[in-house]
């Protein structure tokens, strides 16, 4: 139904404008809600970015991957894998690249020692699993067992992240307020934070759909090929929530939320979304040569590169952000060529 309306160029243009506005409003609300949650729980904004915000902004990838893998189309599993891999590449090269160009991204000890290495490790493990499970006929496949292992790793990671947040809460200050009035304040405080989080998520998803749908319709009207549309607008579409949230967080000085959102989203994509999709498919996911020799290596290399950038100097500098963004442009050009 929506596609029929978007055939009208005026309505498509309106969808782009309203979708963009919804993305900005949703991103702003989600960052504010996440900041309130971090302040209310007296935990680091980084932990909130790695968990709550990352899970929220990964909702489009989860919806696309699960619906594609469980649908009747045999190529759905390919779409599910490509969605995860493409989103992770976009998160690192495009989103962190843009954010670092806006402002050098200082990285915490937790990111340097735990989270960035984990993204690189699980990216490398996924690439290795493809070649280890190679079939006798030379084809590649990710087995269902690997999906169960990824899901188990996700559970362990979330437990460790929550425990780390509690350990970091030792120096929280006590507020000298009467207990009853504090309960009332907390109830209102948490209601506002929750509403901002939900509002932000809904507007991010709706805004991304409207923006991408309108942009695709306009691109088709002016004669852009389906291949270019698929490799650019649609591929970036599921990463728009992460892009919006991270850019807004960077502009507001919430660098921990910006980086935590990207790193947490990449871990969520690999461990929860790919792991969950694989675990539902007894036959596993067939991996095309393009993914095995190009896409997965690019995802792994980008994860290792940004981990190295973070390790050296404990920040991602502007010139390093430019390198990441150049990598995204080069990868897109390669796909289109």
């Amino acid at each position: 139904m929506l596609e029929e309306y978007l055939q009208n160029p005026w309505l498509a243009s309106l969808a782009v404008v309203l979708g963009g506005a919804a993305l900005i409003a949703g991103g702003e609300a989600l960052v504010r809600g996440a900041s309130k949650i971090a302040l209310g729980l007296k935990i680091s904004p980084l932990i909130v970015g790695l968990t709550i915000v990352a899970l929220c902004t990964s909702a489009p990838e989860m919806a696309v991957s699960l619906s594609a893998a469980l649908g009747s189309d045999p190529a759905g599993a390919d779409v599910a894998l490509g969605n995860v891999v493409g989103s992770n590449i976009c998160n690192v090269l495009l989103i962190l690249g843009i954010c670092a160009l806006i402002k050098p991204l200082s990285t915490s000890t937790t990111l340097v020692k735990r989270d960035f290495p984990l993204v690189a490790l699980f990216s490398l493990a996924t690439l290795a699993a493809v070649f280890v499970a190679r079939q006798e006929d030379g084809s590649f496949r990710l087995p269902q067992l690997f999906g169960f292992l990824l899901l188990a790793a996700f559970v362990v990671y979330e437990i460790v992240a929550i425990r780390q947040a509690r350990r970091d809460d030792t120096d929280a200050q006590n507020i000298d307020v009467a207990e009853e009035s504090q309960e009332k304040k907390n109830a209102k405080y948490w209601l506002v934070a929750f509403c901002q989080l939900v509002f932000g998520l809904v507007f991010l998803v709706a805004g991304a759909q409207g923006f991408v749908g309108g942009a695709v319709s306009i691109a088709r009207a002016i004669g852009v090929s389906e291949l270019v549309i698929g490799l650019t607008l649609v591929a970036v579409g599921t990463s728009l929530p992460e892009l919006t949230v991270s850019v807004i967080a960077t502009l507001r000085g919430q660098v921990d939320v910006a980086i935590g959102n990207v790193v947490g989203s990449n871990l969520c994509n690999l461990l929860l979304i790919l792991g969950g999709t694989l675990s539902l498919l007894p036959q596993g996911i067939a991996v095309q040569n393009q993914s095995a020799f190009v896409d997965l290596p690019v995802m792994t290399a980008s994860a290792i590169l940004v981990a190295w950038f973070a390790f050296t100097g404990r920040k991602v500098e502007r010139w390093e952000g430019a390198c990441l963004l150049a990598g995204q442009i080069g990868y897109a050009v390669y796909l289109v060529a």
Side-chain angles (χ1 to χ4, degrees), residues 228-314:
V228 174
I229 291 173
L231 292 173
T232 54
L233 295 175
V234 176
V236 174
T238 55
S239 291
L240 276 176
E242 287 93 336
L243 175 61
T244 307
V245 168
S246 291
V247 169
I248 290 177
T250 301
L251 292 172
R252 288 173 53 83
Q254 296 282 347
V255 175
D256 281 348
V257 174
I259 303 179
N261 172 44
V262 169
V263 176
S265 177
N266 276 23
L267 285 171
C268 183
N269 287 344
L270 283 172
L271 304 183
L272 178 62
I273 299 177
L274 181 58
T277 303
L278 269 174
S279 65
L280 295 174
L281 300 173
Q283 75 279 11
I285 293 179
V287 180
Q288 304 299 322
N289 289 344
Q290 161 77 18
S291 294
F293 290 109
V294 178
D295 303 322
L296 283 167
V298 169
M299 180 187 74
T300 303
S302 62
I304 294 173
L305 179 62
V306 77
W308 174 253
F309 284 163
F311 179 78
T312 56
R314 296 298 178 89

Side-chain angles (χ1 to χ4, degrees), residues 7-180:
Q7 297 301 318
N8 185 311
W10 292 105
L11 291 179
S13 301
L14 181 62
V16 170
V17 174
L18 294 180
L23 281 168
I24 295 173
E28 180 72 20
L30 194 64
V31 171
R32 288 181 179 274
S35 299
K36 284 182 180 294
I37 290 174
L39 183 62
L41 293 176
K42 299 178 183 178
I43 60 177
S44 165
L46 173 63
I47 299 298
V48 177
L50 287 168
T51 54
I52 298 173
V53 177
L55 286 169
C56 288
T57 56
S58 289
E61 286 92 339
M62 185 178 299
V64 169
S65 292
L66 290 178
S67 61
L70 299 178
S72 57
D73 189 349
D78 292 339
V79 174
L81 177 63
N83 178 51
V84 168
V85 174
S87 178
N88 276 19
I89 292 173
C90 186
N91 285 350
V92 171
L93 298 182
L94 178 65
I95 298 177
L96 282 184
I98 290 176
C99 290
L101 283 176
I102 295 173
K103 179 180 181 180
L105 304 175
S106 300
T107 54
S108 68
T109 302
T110 301
L111 278 170
V112 171
K113 291 186 176 181
R114 186 190 69 189
D115 300 304
F116 275 123
L118 280 178
V119 174
L121 175 64
F122 286 115
S123 298
L124 185 60
T126 304
L127 177 60
V130 169
F131 284 88
V132 169
R134 191 170 188 175
Q135 306 297 296
E136 293 182 358
D137 60 359
S139 62
F140 299 98
R141 181 173 295 276
L142 276 173
Q144 184 184 40
L145 176 60
F146 186 66
F148 292 132
L149 294 176
L150 290 177
L151 280 179
F154 176 77
V155 173
V156 172
Y157 173 79
E158 290 297 319
I159 292 173
V160 170
I162 292 172
R163 287 184 176 178
Q164 179 68 40
R166 290 179 177 176
R167 282 199 300 268
D168 292 342
D169 191 29
T170 55
D171 59 347
Q173 295 181 352
N174 293 324
I175 302 175
D176 187 16
V177 184
E179 184 176 351
E180 291 185 3

Side-chain angles (χ1 to χ4, degrees), residues 183-206:
E183 289 180 356
K184 292 180 181 179
K185 178 182 178 181
N186 282 345
K188 180 179 179 180
Y189 182 92
W190 288 113
L191 179 62
V192 171
F194 177 77
C195 288
Q196 285 179 322
L197 205 66
V198 173
F199 172 87
L201 177 60
V202 170
F203 269 62
L204 279 172
V205 175

